[in-house]
Amino acid sequence: NAGVTQTPKFQVLKTGQSMTLQCAQDMNHNSMYWYRQDPGMGLRLIYYSASEGTTDKGEVPNGYNVSRLNKREFSLRLESAAPSQTSVYFCASRGGQGEAKAFFGQGTRLTVV
Amino acid sequence: GEDVEQSLFLSVREGDSSVINCTYTDSSSTYLYWYKQEPGAGLQLLTYIFSNMDMKQDQRLTVLLNKKDKHLSLRIADTQTGDSAIYFCAESLTGNTPLVFGKGTRLSVIA
C-alpha cells in the first residue's frame, strides 16, 4: 500500500520554465491538498480538491494551477516558475466527511534559479 | 480566519517528558492533530483528537485538549533521541476542509 506518492522528488528549474508536480493516492480518498513548506513558515495551503471534479484556492494560490484528473490524481502546475516558488511541496489526501486522518506524500524539493 | 500558534523550539534531556503546546483560534474546529517531521521527510501523523474529547493516550503520547482555552498539548513520555524532529499542530473544521498548520516546534533531545 503506497499511500500518497509524489513525483518528482527533486527538481531544479530556471526562472520562467514550467513544470507539473504529480500526486497520486491509492486510498480511495475524496479530498486532496497541495501545501508548500518554507523555513519558519510552516505549511501553507496552495490549492485543494474536496472531491473529484472540484478545486478551490488556498492561502497562497498565485502562480499555480491544479487539476483533479480523477479521484486518484491531483497535479500542481507552475506555468512560469519564479525564485519565490523555491520550496518543498507536499501533497496530502483525506477520506472526506467523518474521516479524520490526513496522509502526506514525501515531498518534492523544488529549486528555481 | 483560522490560526494555529506554537512555540518554535523545545529542548529536553533524554528520558524526561516533553510537552509541546499549541493554541488555535477557531472554536468550531472539529479535528486537532499532531504530526511529526524528521529531516528531509514528509509529515507523519502521530495522533489526532476530536473536539468532544479531553484526552487521548497512545503508548508514550498523551494529547490534552482544553476546548474552553483553545489549547492543545502533546506530551511525550520517556523522550528518546529518535523523538528529535519538528512537531506540527493542525486543526480542521470538518472532514472535508483543509488542515491549518502551526509553524512547528523543533524538539531537540539531549543525550
Side-chain angles (χ1 to χ4, degrees):
Chain A
N1 189 342
V4 180
T5 302
Q6 291 183 234
T7 55
K9 287 187 170 50
F10 300 93
Q11 183 72 48
V12 178
L13 288 180
K14 293 182 179 178
T15 297
Q17 286 185 317
S18 62
M19 79 161 293
T20 299
L21 282 65
Q22 307 286 353
C23 175
Q25 51 91 8
D26 62 2
M27 296 172 281
N28 200 34
H29 282 171
N30 290 323
S31 303
M32 297 184 73
Y33 312 93
W34 277 105
Y35 291 87
R36 60 177 287 173
Q37 183 179 24
D38 302 293
M41 298 295 290
L43 278 83
R44 293 182 292 169
L45 182 68
I46 305 171
Y47 271 93
Y48 68 102
S49 171
S51 61
E52 188 179 356
T54 68
T55 60
D56 286 287
K57 294 179 181 179
E59 181 185 353
V60 289
N62 290 346
Y64 305 95
N65 285 300
V66 290
S67 295
R68 184 74 183 265
L69 304 168
N70 47 55
K71 194 170 186 180
R72 289 186 66 248
E73 298 171 289
F74 188 38
S75 63
L76 178 72
R77 183 159 178 85
L78 287 71
E79 290 291 352
S80 178
S84 61
Q85 294 178 303
T86 293
S87 188
V88 181
Y89 292 85
F90 288 101
C91 177
S93 72
R94 190 176 181 194
Q97 193 59 40
E99 284 285 335
K101 296 179 183 178
F103 296 96
F104 281 75
Q106 288 301 299
T108 295
R109 282 152 182 80
L110 175 67
T111 302
V112 183
V113 297
Chain B
E2 304 152 63
D3 195 17
V4 178
E5 298 284 341
Q6 303 177 240
S7 53
L8 295 181
F9 301 99
L10 177 65
S11 182
V12 299
R13 293 196 179 278
E14 192 175 19
D16 288 350
S17 292
S18 308
V19 179
I20 303 172
N21 294 301
C22 167
T23 57
Y24 59 99
T25 56
D26 197 326
S27 57
S28 301
S29 296
T30 301
Y31 306 98
L32 296 136
Y33 304 83
W34 286 105
Y35 281 85
K36 177 184 180 182
Q37 185 182 36
E38 297 184 28
L43 274 73
Q44 173 194 353
L45 177 63
L46 283 178
T47 187
Y48 63 94
I49 189 168
F50 293 103
S51 60
N52 61 359
M53 299 168 66
D54 297 323
M55 185 181 85
K56 182 177 182 180
Q57 190 156 359
D58 184 0
Q59 298 182 337
R60 292 192 298 124
L61 304 179
T62 302
V63 177
L64 294 177
L65 175 61
N66 181 327
K67 198 172 179 183
K68 173 177 169 291
D69 294 337
K70 289 179 271 188
H71 181 266
L72 184 73
S73 67
L74 174 69
R75 178 177 179 269
I76 306 173
D78 187 25
T79 311
Q80 302 297 308
T81 54
D83 295 322
S84 293
I86 301 176
Y87 290 80
F88 289 95
C89 172
E91 59 92 13
S92 174
L93 295 180
T94 72
N96 283 327
T97 56
L99 278 66
V100 177
F101 285 84
K103 290 183 169 53
T105 298
R106 184 178 296 273
L107 174 65
S108 297
V109 182
I110 306 164

